[in-house]
């Protein structure tokens, strides 16, 4: 391999380190799928428009098809394969499973990774394009269906499972999730920060 156009890099993925030579043009997505056999992140549009390849970089969501592998060196990379704690699913994964937040499942890994990043952004008080009060001192906006749809708008579902995706994200983000499932076997409750969910979304969950 020509060293002028390639490098040997070490990527930290899901808590493990992988050292591999890569062409400088190799995207993180191709390194994950083609070089490391981590195929959970899907290649959809390969142009950063569909969100199927979303991963977490240092806890922030990013589309892996637009991220160069060499630029990800030294960062904490989390893919869908690294979310569960052994046999215990991440709360977002469990919510997608319980509420049928998928159909064909192709976009689901990216949806789940994006949802985790989005929930953390909301809990930290980041506003969205539909947030009414964007003052720094304002409380986080209630996580209404409108907020969820706007914040998740970078992830496309060609099957159209959006209604269930919104419900799954709301359930995973809601503080009642940590309370109601604290003693339920097979659930993980300490990885998603509490967020305020609107009464309308809670009412929909009650009849789901």
């Amino acid at each position: 391999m020509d060293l002028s156009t390639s490098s040997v890099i070490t990527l930290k993925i899901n808590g493990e380190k992988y050292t591999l030579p890569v062409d400088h043009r190799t995207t993180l997505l191709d390194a994950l799928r083609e070089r490391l056999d981590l195929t959970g992140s899907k290649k959809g549009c390969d142009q950063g428009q569909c969100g199927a390849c979303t991963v977490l970089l240092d806890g922030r969501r990013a589309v892996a098809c637009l991220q160069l592998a060499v630029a990800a060196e030294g960062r904490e990379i989390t893919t869908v394969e690294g979310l569960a704690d052994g046999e215990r699913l991440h709360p977002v994964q469990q919510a997608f499973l319980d509420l049928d937040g998928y159909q064909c499942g192709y976009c689901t890994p990216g949806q789940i990774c994006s949802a985790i990043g989005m929930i953390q952004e909301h809990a930290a008080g980041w506003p969205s394009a539909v947030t009414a009060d964007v003052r720094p001192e304002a409380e986080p906006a209630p996580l209404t269906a409108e907020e969820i749809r706007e914040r998740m708008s970078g992830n496309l579902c060609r099957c159209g499972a959006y209604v269930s995706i919104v419900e799954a994200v709301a359930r995973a983000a809601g503080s009642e999730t940590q309370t109601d499932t604290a003693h339920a076997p097979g659930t993980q409750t300490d990885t998603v920060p509490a967020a305020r969910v609107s009464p309308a979304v809670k009412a929909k969950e009650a009849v789901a």
Side-chain angles (χ1 to χ4, degrees):
M1 184 175 288
D2 185 355
L3 293 180
S4 64
T5 61
S6 65
S7 298
V8 176
I9 63 173
T10 299
L11 299 177
K12 187 174 182 181
I13 306 169
N14 302 327
E16 297 186 21
K17 291 185 177 181
Y18 301 83
T19 300
L20 67 161
V22 296
D23 186 287
H24 292 160
R25 298 165 295 182
T26 303
T27 65
L28 178 58
L29 178 60
D30 284 340
L32 291 171
R33 291 181 56 82
E34 308 298 334
R35 304 295 304 281
L36 300 175
D37 202 29
L38 294 169
T39 57
S41 304
K42 297 298 187 283
K43 180 175 284 193
C45 65
D46 210 24
Q47 297 179 0
Q49 297 180 4
C50 73
C53 65
T54 302
V55 298
L56 299 175
L57 291 180
D58 296 330
R60 298 272 299 274
R61 48 185 173 163
V63 284
C65 71
L66 296 185
Q67 175 78 33
L68 292 176
V70 292
E73 188 171 24
R75 305 182 68 180
E76 294 282 347
I77 304 166
T78 304
T79 69
V80 70
E81 291 92 342
L83 297 179
D85 181 11
E87 295 297 317
R88 294 190 303 167
L89 295 178
H90 188 282
V92 175
Q93 290 176 303
Q94 190 65 56
F96 269 71
L97 182 64
D98 292 343
L99 294 173
D100 295 328
Y102 53 87
Q103 287 188 37
C104 79
Y106 194 83
C107 74
T108 306
Q111 297 274 2
I112 289 173
C113 286
S114 185
I116 292 170
M118 180 275 283
I119 290 169
Q120 294 172 345
E121 292 165 11
H122 175 263
W126 294 15
S128 78
V130 298
T131 302
D133 190 347
V134 297
R135 293 175 301 163
E137 65 272 18
E139 292 291 326
L143 200 57
T144 62
E146 183 183 23
E147 282 280 353
I148 293 172
R149 288 178 182 276
E150 171 61 30
R151 292 169 184 266
M152 292 290 293
S153 61
N155 291 79
L156 304 182
C157 173
R158 290 175 173 85
C159 297
Y162 295 114
V163 172
S164 296
I165 289 171
V166 170
E167 292 175 351
V169 173
R171 174 175 292 185
S175 58
E176 76 276 10
T177 301
Q178 286 75 41
T179 301
D180 296 342
T181 64
H183 303 292
T187 58
Q188 181 177 336
T189 61
D190 58 355
T191 56
V192 176
R196 294 192 298 169
V197 181
S198 73
V201 172
K202 291 183 179 180
K204 288 187 67 177
E205 288 185 22
V207 298

